[in-house]
Amino acid sequence: MATGWRALRRRVLTPNVSATSLDVRGFHKKNPAAQEMLENVGKTFLTGYGYAAEARTVEEAAENLETVPARFRGFAYEGAAMGFTVRDRLPLGPSGLTEKFLAGPGAPHIYMIYVGIGWAMARLPRFRWPKSATTDPLLRWLVLDGYGFHQAYFHTARYVHEQYQERDFPWPGGRAGYAANAIDQGIGRAMWFVGGTDAARVTSMIGKFPESRRADLYSGAGLAATYAGGADEQELRVFADRAGRFRPQVAQGSAFGAEARIRAGLLVPHTETATRILCGFSAEKAAQITQDLRPDKVVDGESPAFEAWRDRIAGEFVSLGGVSQ
């Protein structure tokens, strides 16, 4: 009976896999290989979500998540984070699953888990949103990155083509202005998917946005190009060249992508290729730079410590000669 209930819960809570089809989404199809990769990312995300929806414990979900191939496993953890967050916010059932996931088997995937929490927020009523006080004071902005990705992925016309921007966003509170920046980082990451990993198309879409938003958009796209992949060396060079003066932000996003993969033990060849072109260094070196510059103590000034950290990373790649400004 319990097994049947868990299976039913999974079917009820998990979105239909057809939502990940590029044809359904209306995203650009560069070639069959890129289309297959992007659709596999979406399917794997939903697989992870389903594992979380059905699992009795976070450890049970993690056992299933670990069976996913390394290239896509991080997306499964991201989906599981969304699933656990949704379950936590339901009026009936267990609570604290997301916190247990983060403190346990999900710890190496903290970046992806925070992004997955943002996906859940995009689907939950605001009074059910998790409290920002329960999140890491440095990394909590990744939640809004996930929110922005979701909005651009599912509401592409409004957030990408019409360039809608949410003002005075209510979460996490006290830093409403920067929330828009963090959401734009997620929108930029989604644009790598919307553009079908086609570097020329992605940069063309970013170029239509107000210049004040492009640094965050390029950072997000650089992260996606490194973490998700889908572009060869020549295309990555086109992406870097067309980024122009925003190349440092591309490098910063790329380094974040490398760090997320290396921290989780999921380094794959396309990530190494991306960092060498977008950062000018190996994936290990790019990831190490993010850690070397990570603040020991989180002190928010005129801008959050998270933004200061990102700025230092971008500047470091310029100083080291990895990218030109």
Side-chain angles (χ1 to χ4, degrees):
M1 183 63 154
T3 300
W5 163 244
R6 291 196 302 272
L8 176 62
R9 182 175 63 201
R10 175 174 180 162
R11 288 197 299 271
V12 170
L13 292 180
T14 308
N16 194 299
V17 71
S18 65
T20 67
S21 165
L22 265 63
D23 288 321
V24 171
R25 299 262 55 83
F27 293 171
H28 175 62
K29 292 187 285 187
K30 182 178 70 176
N31 56 46
Q35 178 178 358
E36 181 181 15
M37 186 277 290
L38 291 174
E39 291 180 343
N40 276 339
V41 167
K43 291 174 184 176
T44 305
F45 180 98
L46 291 181
T47 296
Y49 185 102
Y51 288 152
E54 189 173 5
R56 290 171 296 180
T57 65
V58 297
E59 290 78 15
E60 180 182 289
E63 288 181 11
N64 289 321
L65 293 167
E66 286 298 308
T67 67
V68 176
R71 176 163 190 179
F72 299 102
R73 193 178 305 157
F75 299 107
Y77 271 87
E78 182 183 359
M82 179 184 178
F84 282 132
T85 304
V86 169
R87 287 182 62 184
D88 280 340
R89 311 314 294 176
L90 292 175
L92 299 175
S95 61
L97 293 169
T98 310
E99 289 78 7
K100 292 176 184 176
F101 194 41
L102 266 172
H109 305 269
I110 185 170
Y111 301 108
M112 302 302 283
I113 289 174
Y114 269 60
V115 168
I117 293 171
W119 273 71
M121 283 175 52
R123 295 293 180 100
L124 291 167
R126 290 188 175 184
F127 73 92
R128 289 289 184 183
W129 284 2
K131 303 297 183 183
S132 62
T134 65
T135 59
D136 183 285
L138 180 67
L139 299 180
R140 64 176 49 134
W141 299 103
L142 293 174
V143 172
L144 294 186
D145 181 305
Y147 178 92
F149 185 102
H150 175 282
Q151 299 302 77
Y153 190 91
F154 288 103
H155 308 290
T156 308
R158 189 180 193 197
Y159 281 82
V160 175
H161 303 308
E162 297 172 13
Q163 302 168 15
Y164 173 74
Q165 188 172 37
E166 300 189 45
R167 303 287 185 181
D168 300 321
F169 198 79
W171 197 98
R175 292 281 176 181
Y178 189 73
N181 295 83
I183 291 171
D184 271 355
Q185 291 154 30
I187 292 173
R189 195 162 53 85
M191 288 169 74
W192 187 252
F193 288 68
V194 174
T197 79
D198 185 322
R201 183 175 288 262
V202 172
T203 54
S204 178
M205 288 192 297
I206 293 175
K208 295 176 182 178
F209 277 74
E211 189 169 0
S212 61
R213 299 180 65 182
R214 292 179 203 167
D216 290 310
L217 297 171
Y218 267 114
S219 173
L223 196 161
T226 303
Y227 194 96
D232 60 26
E233 290 189 28
Q234 181 179 352
E235 291 172 306
L236 288 167
R237 294 188 192 283
V238 168
F239 179 57
D241 289 344
R242 292 183 62 140
R245 73 181 190 87
F246 299 107
R247 281 200 64 182
Q249 285 73 37
V250 168
Q252 175 272 312
S254 179
F256 265 22
E259 163 63 3
R261 279 204 171 272
I262 289 172
R263 182 186 179 100
L266 301 177
L267 182 61
V268 288
H270 76 252
T271 295
E272 184 70 42
T273 300
T275 58
R276 289 193 178 278
I277 293 172
L278 302 181
C279 302
F281 296 99
S282 69
E284 291 280 357
K285 175 66 174 178
Q288 187 60 51
I289 286 171
T290 71
Q291 288 305 300
D292 290 344
L293 297 177
R294 181 172 177 151
D296 294 326
K297 184 177 181 181
V298 178
V299 179
D300 292 333
E302 291 186 5
S303 61
F306 180 73
E307 177 63 9
W309 181 32
R310 293 175 65 251
D311 284 344
R312 286 196 296 271
I313 293 168
E316 185 73 358
F317 284 115
V318 175
S319 298
L320 294 174
V323 300
S324 58
Q325 192 169 25

